[in-house]
Amino acid sequence: RAELLDNPSVVFGGTFSGNPISCGMGNLVLDHLVSNQSLYNELYKDCSLVYSEIEQILRSFPVQLMKSHSMFRFVFTERKINEMRDRKDWEDWNSFVKFREELKKQGLLVKSNGICFLCADHMEYKDRILHKIESCIRKIYE
């Protein structure tokens, strides 16, 4: 409401809050998603295939893949991770940081918290991405 937005004692903000271009683009994205509802089902199916291939790569190493739909994370530990507390207690963070740096050298960026995302456009480069992941994992454990 205008009385809130015009009140100098009310603080609001965010990276894109109220930016008309961001709002407009957000609406376009939502329109596209509503018009293409099968997009997520296709993406999740593709992600499952990619995750299976990554897990094949990881099977010889003390690394697990935590995943949920199109979001995933590498966890460096031999112990079975069932929940976040397990990861925090048992994860070899130093190995992850080395892995992330090797991926960066290969042109794959992973957020500092380790969270990774797949999108439909990644599927075109899937084989190259998998090759780089395997190369970097092997380098960590050589």
Side-chain angles (χ1 to χ4, degrees), residues 73 93 96 100 103 108-117:
R73 187 178 194 288
W93 186 253
F96 168 74
R100 186 182 71 211
L103 286 174
L108 296 178
L109 300 180
V110 174
K111 294 178 64 160
S112 60
N113 65 5
I115 303 293
C116 304
F117 298 91

Side-chain angles (χ1 to χ4, degrees), residues 43-71:
L43 175 62
Y44 296 156
K45 186 179 97 186
D46 289 342
C47 288
S48 291
L49 295 172
V50 171
Y51 296 152
S52 292
E53 293 186 56
I54 292 173
E55 287 171 331
Q56 283 292 99
I57 293 167
L58 300 180
R59 74 175 188 259
S60 301
F61 302 97
V63 184
Q64 298 172 47
L65 194 67
M66 296 178 72
K67 56 201 181 285
S68 177
H69 300 294
S70 62
M71 181 174 67

